[in-house]
Amino acid sequence: MGYEVPGARPARRPRRMRGVLSLAAAGLFVCCVGAAGLGAWNYQQVRQSSGGAREAAESFLHDVTRGDAAGAYDKLCGDTRERWSRDDFVQRMSVPPTINRYAIDDVAVATDRGQVRGTVTARLTRRSGAVDVREMPMVKDGDRWRVCGDPF
């Protein structure tokens, strides 16, 4: 048979444990809010960048279709300019089949090890009537987007 002490209260958790659990819950909440904020910031940066990549690709292709080799060359990234001299680029632009129309189909932007990169997919219509789908790698150089890789 059990013996009960009159006036005794049931055992309670120590207050210290409650404080530790409250502190852990608050820390977890702060981490979740911080991660969500960082994710939202990254999404916003990538979304804003896709518009810039599209504009840079359109500007480059506009120069190409007009035959403005100097303007188009200035929109290339440093790596591509190292592989193509200005004279080689001008000569390549004048060799058929030259591009007379273009349409941007897709723009994809992502960050890779802190470097913002993108790919613009464009349909290039040659003077001959042939249509070529080309993916143009883009790289953000400071606050400007530049075309990288083989633009033709």
Side-chain angles (χ1 to χ4, degrees), residues 46-70:
V46 167
R47 186 169 167 90
Q48 288 174 351
S49 293
S50 66
R54 176 183 288 275
E55 289 172 10
E58 284 182 353
S59 179
F60 173 79
L61 291 170
H62 180 72
D63 287 347
V64 169
T65 57
R66 285 186 324 149
D68 181 7

Side-chain angles (χ1 to χ4, degrees), residues 29-106:
F29 177 76
V30 168
C31 287
C32 289
V33 169
L38 184 60
W41 177 82
N42 193 25
Y43 174 76
Q44 182 181 18
Q45 291 297 317
V46 167
R47 186 169 167 90
Q48 288 174 351
S49 293
S50 66
R54 176 183 288 275
E55 289 172 10
E58 284 182 353
S59 179
F60 173 79
L61 291 170
H62 180 72
D63 287 347
V64 169
T65 57
R66 285 186 324 149
D68 181 7
Y73 186 81
D74 291 338
K75 292 174 177 75
L76 296 175
C77 72
D79 290 343
T80 302
R81 280 186 277 177
E82 285 178 12
R83 286 194 313 267
W84 292 69
S85 71
R86 187 176 292 270
D87 293 336
D88 290 341
F89 186 78
V90 169
Q91 181 181 9
R92 176 62 177 97
M93 271 188 60
S94 64
V95 173
T98 55
I99 300 166
N100 65 349
R101 283 192 318 242
Y102 65 90
I104 304 287
D105 290 337
D106 189 33

Side-chain angles (χ1 to χ4, degrees), residues 97-105 121-135 152:
T98 55
I99 300 166
N100 65 349
R101 283 192 318 242
Y102 65 90
I104 304 287
D105 290 337
T121 305
R123 253 179 300 121
L124 309 177
T125 304
R126 311 284 180 173
R127 280 224 168 96
S128 65
V131 177
D132 183 23
V133 176
R134 179 70 66 160
E135 288 187 353
F152 302 107

Side-chain angles (χ1 to χ4, degrees), residues 130-147:
V131 177
D132 183 23
V133 176
R134 179 70 66 160
E135 288 187 353
M136 296 187 312
M138 307 287 290
V139 66
K140 193 161 187 185
D141 181 18
D143 60 344
R144 296 185 62 190
W145 280 96
R146 298 194 178 271
V147 176

